[in-house]
Amino acid sequence: MTRETFEARRESLRRLMYDKGLAALLISQPANRFYLSGFELHDCQCNESSGCLIITADGKDWLCTDSRYEEAACQLWPSERVFIYKGSSSETLNGLLKGLFRTAPVGIEAEHLSWGYVQRLESGLSLEAADGLVEKLRAVKDAEEIRLIEASVALNHKMLEWLPSILVPGNDEASAAWAIEKFYRENGASELAFPSIVAKDANAALPHYAPDEPAVFTEDCMVLVDEGCRLDRYCSDMTRTYWIGGRPEPRFTEMLERVQEAQRRAIAALRPGITGREVHKVAVDYFASCGMDAYFTHSLGHGVGLETHEGPRLSPRAVEPLVPGNIVTIEPGLYFPGWGGARWEHMAVITEDGCRVL
C-alpha cells in the first residue's frame, strides 16, 4: 500500500464524517487505524494500545502514540502531526482535543472503547458515538486488497493440499494444529489469521472447539479443520471436513453432501443487490428441506480482510445489499451433539454480475 492509498482512504472517510456533521473522528480500533495510516495492525493486548488517529474535517490529521512507537510513527506520518502522549492517553488526548475542538462534535469508536476510558476522555468535549464509518469503507475491497487476499487464499489452498498427510491415525488435534501453523510460517505467512481449529468426531459438533486434552486420530474417524493465515497483512479463512480411514460411514457422507450442496446453492445466489440475510436463508431453506435446519447453528458467513471477521455478514440480521468488492466466506455446517459435525468453507468476491470463488 502506498501513502497515496492511505490518504485517499482518509478522504473517503472525511466525506462520511461530513454527512454526520463531525469535526473530527478518533480512530482507536487497530485494524481501522492501520487501514487509514499503515500504522500498527495489532495492539499488544486488550488493555494496551499502540495509539490512535484523529481524522479531522479540515484534513489536519494526527497520529497519536507513545514514545515506544515514535520512530515508527514518524516514518509514516509528518513528524509535526505526530502527537506523543505520556502517562494516561485518555487524559492527555483530552487536552489535545479540547485545544482543537472544545465545542465541535468529535466522533469516537464507542464500541471499541471502555466506559472508563470514555469518561476520562470526554471532560469538556462534545463526544458522539460514530461506529461503523471506517468499517463501511473496509467492506469494499479495492483491486490491490483483492490481489493480496487472493494470495493469502492461494497459500491456504496450498496448505489444504498438504494437510491430509498429517491427518493420520496416531496424530492428534494439537499436533495437527501446530503443524498447520509451522507450514504457514515456513511458506511466507506472518501469522495465523486465528488459532486453528482441529476437531475429531464429537468435538466437530462444537463450531469453535478448543481442546483441553487433544483427541488422538484413529482409523475411521472424522476431523473438522478450520484455519487461515495472514499474508502481507490480509487474512484467509477456510474449513474442510475429512474422514480418516477407509469407507466413510453413510451418516458422515450424507452430512457432508448436504453441507456442500447448501454451499453450492448459496454461492449460486451471491450477486450484487442481494442481502446477507437472503443468502443465509438459501442455506437454511435447503437444510430445512432435508429436515436438518435445526443442526445449522451459526450464520452462513462473514467478510474477511485485515481481520478474519469483518463486514459484510451473511446472517439473519444482515439487511444491507452486497456490492462489488465485498469478500465473504460461505461456510454452512451441520452439528450433531455427541456424534460429530461438518463445515465446508470457501471465500468469494462479489463481482459486477455475480461472484468469483477465490
Side-chain angles (χ1 to χ4, degrees), residues 29 31 41-42 138 141 152 156 191-195 208 226-230 233-238 301-313 327-329 331 345 347:
Q29 202 272 3
L41 179 59
H42 297 307
R138 284 173 50 198
K141 274 60 179 181
S152 185
N156 201 317
E191 59 185 313
L192 296 175
F194 55 92
H208 275 194
D226 186 357
E227 45 62 44
C229 67
R230 176 171 275 115
R233 306 286 189 168
Y234 281 85
C235 296
S236 55
D237 181 7
M238 291 187 191
H302 53 84
V304 181
L306 292 172
E307 295 180 295
T308 311
H309 292 87
E310 57 183 53
R313 308 283 172 168
I327 290 182
V328 294
T329 66
E331 49 181 304
E345 179 179 13
M347 292 171 57

Side-chain angles (χ1 to χ4, degrees), residues 110-345:
E111 293 184 4
H112 178 257
L113 297 175
S114 71
W115 176 236
Y117 193 97
V118 173
Q119 285 184 305
R120 294 189 297 272
L121 179 68
E122 69 179 348
S123 176
L125 291 169
S126 176
L127 298 184
E128 297 181 11
D131 297 284
L133 298 185
V134 184
E135 287 83 353
K136 183 176 181 179
L137 300 176
R138 284 173 50 198
V140 182
K141 274 60 179 181
D142 62 26
E144 177 66 3
E145 289 182 294
I146 293 171
R147 185 190 69 80
L148 292 170
I149 292 170
E150 284 191 283
S152 185
V153 171
L155 179 54
N156 201 317
H157 281 300
K158 181 179 179 181
M159 193 285 300
L160 289 172
E161 291 176 2
W162 162 86
L163 183 59
S165 68
I166 64 167
L167 299 181
V168 296
N171 205 353
D172 63 64
E173 296 168 332
S175 297
W178 172 236
I180 290 168
E181 181 167 0
K182 286 176 62 181
F183 181 97
Y184 276 137
R185 290 182 178 273
E186 289 170 356
N187 285 273
S190 60
E191 59 185 313
L192 296 175
F194 55 92
S196 300
I197 298 169
V198 181
K200 171 183 177 283
D201 289 339
N203 296 333
L206 305 171
H208 275 194
Y209 165 70
D212 290 324
E213 296 184 6
V216 177
F217 304 147
T218 59
E219 193 73 25
D220 297 326
C221 73
M222 72 184 80
V223 181
L224 183 154
V225 180
D226 186 357
E227 45 62 44
C229 67
R230 176 171 275 115
L231 181 68
D232 292 329
R233 306 286 189 168
Y234 281 85
C235 296
S236 55
D237 181 7
M238 291 187 191
T239 308
R240 299 289 185 269
T241 307
Y242 301 87
W243 183 264
I244 296 177
R247 183 184 298 273
E249 293 180 9
R251 184 180 179 185
F252 173 85
T253 300
E254 179 189 14
M255 172 181 65
L256 188 57
E257 287 177 349
R258 300 298 190 195
V259 168
Q260 291 173 329
E261 179 60 22
Q263 187 194 60
R264 281 191 287 269
R265 295 184 181 211
I267 289 173
L270 282 172
R271 64 184 186 277
I274 195 169
T275 66
R277 179 167 63 184
E278 290 169 328
V279 183
H280 176 85
K281 189 174 184 296
V282 169
V284 171
D285 287 350
Y286 172 71
F287 284 140
S289 73
C290 307
M292 294 182 171
D293 52 308
Y295 302 100
F296 177 37
T297 56
H298 55 72
S299 298
L300 179 64
H302 53 84
V304 181
L306 292 172
E307 295 180 295
T308 311
H309 292 87
E310 57 183 53
R313 308 283 172 168
L314 306 183
S315 81
R317 300 176 300 281
V319 298
E320 291 294 321
L322 299 175
V323 299
N326 291 155
I327 290 182
V328 294
T329 66
I330 310 94
E331 49 181 304
L334 292 170
Y335 310 96
F336 299 90
W339 177 70
R343 185 163 65 252
W344 203 263
E345 179 179 13

Side-chain angles (χ1 to χ4, degrees), residues 54 62 64 83 91-101:
I54 300 174
W62 292 85
C64 308
F83 178 76
E91 294 172 1
T92 312
L93 287 170
N94 171 269
L96 174 63
L97 289 167
K98 278 198 297 190
L100 298 170
F101 311 106

